[in-house]
Amino acid sequence: MIVLMATFISLCASISSKICASAALCRNAPGHMQILYPCNNTIEAVVGSKLEITCRVLSELHTVGILVYWLANHTYIEDYSKNNRVKEHKTERRGHEKSYLEVTLSFSQVERKDFEVIFSCVMLSEKLDQERFISINPVVSNGDSQIAIAVAVVASIILISMIIYKLLKFKSPQTYVIFN
Ligand SMILES: *[C@@H]1O[C@H](CO)[C@@H](O)[C@H](O)[C@H]1NC(C)=O
Ligand SMILES: *[C@@H]1O[C@H](CO)[C@@H](O)[C@H](O)[C@H]1NC(C)=O
């Protein structure tokens, strides 16, 4: 019974930790010039699929003199992907009081070697230099997570029926006494 409960709890923990990891939030100081995303996190991708990762930088009114670019394992993207499989493109959005600089890293096809690389977005400016990291993990195959969920469901059904059985067993002598 205890073993079963322990397995059940650890299964739940392993499923929810994945959800927690993907929903990891950046603790950004509000309002300041900084890299808003990425935040030293990981994302998942499938080999052969397209992928875009946007580095989002919050700046003050003007974006003059702010340099934002990506690195792959500390080398420039042009050197990491000489055949243009991975490219950067920049956009700028001017808001009322703030501006955003966005540099998107786009993969025409994710390759296995991307999983071993640490990508980082670098922001250089007069006031502040910042670097934030992101890595790509292969997607856990759908089959695996479905099996994990199925096992968890079966385990909880067994657990609940055992609890009900114990409760009934505990109650039955009392009813017996009453009817005697
Ligand atoms: C991200 O990692 C860098 C280098 O390890 C570190 O200096 C920085 O504080 C980290 N930022 C966050 C938001 O965790
Ligand atoms: C990137 O660096 C890691 C270790 O820091 C290494 O294992 C990996 O092979 C490197 N990848 C490329 C494509 O250079």
Side-chain angles (χ1 to χ4, degrees):
M1 179 81 174
I2 288 162
V3 172
L4 199 78
M5 268 176 90
T7 333
F8 181 59
I9 289 163
S10 66
L11 249 167
C12 286
S14 75
I15 291 170
S16 63
S17 74
K18 251 175 227 157
I19 296 162
C20 291
S22 61
L25 288 172
C26 265
R27 261 168 268 128
N28 290 318
H32 296 289
M33 179 165 110
Q34 61 189 305
I35 299 175
L36 296 174
Y37 189 87
C39 33
N40 299 350
N41 55 321
T42 58
I43 52 164
E44 293 188 336
V46 179
V47 173
S49 67
K50 281 188 180 181
L51 178 68
E52 290 199 338
I53 312 171
T54 299
C55 176
R56 195 152 192 255
V57 171
L58 170 67
S59 80
E60 271 118 40
L61 257 185
H62 62 89
T63 52
V64 184
I66 302 174
L67 207 60
V68 181
Y69 58 90
W70 282 93
L71 294 177
N73 259 11
H74 307 292
T75 61
Y76 291 113
I77 300 302
E78 303 89 84
D79 297 328
Y80 176 66
S81 162
K82 296 212 164 71
N83 59 356
N84 273 348
R85 180 181 64 89
V86 189
K87 284 188 281 194
E88 287 171 288
H89 59 87
K90 298 182 186 6
T91 51
E92 226 180 281
R93 290 195 295 117
R94 212 169 287 271
H96 217 47
E97 289 172 340
K98 298 162 193 164
S99 297
Y100 294 94
L101 273 169
E102 291 182 343
V103 181
T104 299
L105 193 62
S106 69
F107 298 73
S108 60
Q109 271 195 333
V110 172
E111 284 181 7
R112 216 162 279 280
K113 74 168 186 176
D114 300 329
F115 301 144
E116 269 132 50
V117 174
I118 294 174
F119 292 93
S120 64
C121 178
V122 179
M123 175 188 75
L124 301 178
S125 72
E126 277 178 15
K127 278 193 189 168
L128 179 74
D129 297 342
Q130 215 178 24
E131 186 172 15
R132 288 276 187 85
F133 303 87
I134 189 162
S135 50
I136 308 168
N137 283 342
V139 167
V140 180
S141 86
N142 222 4
D144 286 353
S145 59
Q146 272 170 5
I147 288 168
I149 290 165
V151 170
V153 167
V154 169
S156 54
I157 290 170
I158 293 170
L159 193 66
I160 290 165
S161 44
M162 279 175 92
I163 291 167
I164 291 170
Y165 176 73
K166 285 238 161 162
L167 286 175
L168 288 178
K169 218 171 123 190
F170 183 71
K171 273 189 179 165
S172 54
Q174 281 180 317
T175 45
Y176 180 73
V177 169
I178 291 163
F179 282 103
N180 206 11

